Amino acid sequence: MTTLGEGATAFDEAALDAFADRMIGVLNDACTALMTSIGHQSGLFGTLAPTSARPVLPRGRRPLLRRLPKVSRGDGRR
Amino acid sequence: MMAEDSAAMVDATLLDRTVPLVDGLDARLRAGVDVADIGCGSGHAINVLARAYPASRFTGFDFSEEAIAAGRAEAEARGLTNATFELCDVAMLDRPDAFDVITAFDTIHDQAHPARVLAAIARALRPGGSLLMVDIRAASAVEDNLDLPWATFLYTVSTMHCMTVSLGLDGDGLGTVWGEQVATRMLREAGFTDVAIHTVEGDAFNNYYVARSMALG
């Protein structure tokens, strides 16, 4: 059995796992932001966006992005 | 940062866990063989091996003058006489039948011309010599990496560094996530046989490919 010195706390494996998961999440999400920026700035998203096959949803059901004023939605063209 | 991260990994795993992956490697290194490290960077792996196996001769190749200087400085500081470093674009490596063992730590996928480098390694190995290639653990197809926890990170690193560096040199742009299937095929095409893929505890990011150069006859 391990004896801990005064003031020492046992190593918390669950906290380590939670930290690792969060850190991987932070890295992945940060990377998604960078790649989204590249996709936008390079015009990739604008090129990929299907203009005729876009589903038409009732106004209230449209995703938030579609309800934003058009000017603030980058379409990737410059 | 890459050098620090990779040095920490080398210290933790190289001698205890990586060397035993190659059948009989410990015994051969003790007896005395010629070893090359391709894309050796700052040369830490070479210097660790050179100190552990004084009977063997180690050569690190890299195209970065700064990295080669760092490798030489560390070898000198440790008083190693069996570790040398050569400035060399490894795609142009022309040392037929010069080595018994060649290592390549996370460097092949960054190459402008990885197939040329693998072919140069195959030529540089004596018949039946061993290659230990450490490279990112992933599948070659995007859809096979959905369960990989850091797939997004890897593909981003690839887009923003590995693939781009290679393409910038008019290279193949293999990318960070070239993956097991492409790596295995390219090793075979370069003339390697008995390709095996190992993993090492403590290094979740990498596969350890062990292969042999074709024996004569």
Side-chain angles (χ1 to χ4, degrees):
Chain A
M1 187 186 146
T2 312
T3 313
L4 297 171
E6 197 179 342
T9 46
F11 189 76
D12 188 342
E13 290 282 347
L16 175 68
D17 287 347
F19 173 76
D21 285 351
R22 177 155 153 70
M23 223 27 234
I24 290 168
V26 166
L27 286 174
N28 279 332
D29 291 353
C31 285
T32 302
L34 291 169
M35 292 293 269
T36 305
S37 177
I38 291 175
H40 168 65
Q41 291 192 35
S42 64
L44 178 66
F45 293 154
T47 304
L48 286 175
T51 47
S52 57
R54 183 176 293 172
V56 179
L57 295 170
R59 188 157 277 281
R61 299 279 312 281
R62 289 186 194 170
L64 178 62
L65 191 63
R66 299 250 188 94
R67 284 186 263 133
L68 294 175
K70 203 168 182 103
V71 66
S72 71
R73 284 168 46 195
D75 64 358
R77 289 181 210 118
R78 287 191 286 181
Chain B
M1 194 201 95
M2 289 186 71
E4 276 175 34
D5 176 55
S6 137
M9 186 60 72
V10 164
D11 283 336
T13 61
L14 181 60
L15 298 176
D16 295 343
R17 298 179 191 169
T18 306
V19 167
L21 293 176
V22 185
D23 203 24
L25 180 57
D26 178 64
R28 278 187 277 162
L29 289 170
R30 279 176 202 283
V33 289
D34 293 300
V35 182
D37 187 28
I38 300 298
C40 66
S42 307
H44 189 58
I46 282 284
N47 288 325
V48 167
L49 286 168
R51 179 145 78 177
Y53 297 102
S56 285
R57 298 154 299 276
F58 299 85
T59 309
F61 296 98
D62 204 286
F63 74 163
S64 159
E65 235 168 286
E66 200 185 335
I68 290 295
R72 284 178 183 152
E74 190 186 45
E76 196 172 330
R78 294 178 172 211
L80 299 170
T81 54
N82 59 336
T84 55
F85 294 90
E86 292 183 26
L87 192 65
C88 169
D89 175 356
V90 292
M92 315 290 268
L93 182 74
D94 186 20
R95 301 286 285 273
D97 294 336
F99 300 100
D100 304 290
V101 178
I102 292 184
T103 56
F105 297 103
D106 266 321
T107 184
I108 298 299
H109 71 255
D110 282 333
Q111 299 294 328
H113 304 290
R116 280 188 215 162
V117 175
L118 289 175
I121 293 174
R123 278 195 307 275
L125 276 173
R126 294 174 182 139
S130 296
L131 168 67
L132 171 66
M133 177 180 86
V134 181
D135 218 294
I136 295 293
R137 186 194 304 179
S140 298
V142 178
E143 60 268 30
D144 294 332
N145 286 320
L146 296 180
D147 292 332
L148 192 67
W150 39 80
T152 306
F153 174 74
L154 290 184
Y155 282 109
T156 305
V157 169
S158 187
T159 305
M160 300 185 77
H161 179 76
C162 303
M163 182 188 73
T164 309
V165 164
S166 176
L167 290 176
L169 295 167
D170 282 330
D172 303 343
L174 208 48
T176 317
V177 200
W178 59 323
E180 290 175 19
Q181 292 75 18
V182 170
T184 305
R185 171 173 57 76
M186 289 182 67
L187 284 170
R188 295 214 174 97
E189 285 170 358
F192 289 96
T193 180
D194 302 331
V195 180
I197 304 178
H198 303 274
T199 56
V200 163
E201 197 192 331
D203 184 4
F205 286 103
N206 288 303
N207 274 333
Y208 289 65
Y209 297 84
V210 175
R212 297 180 80 79
S213 65
M214 298 276 192
L216 287 179

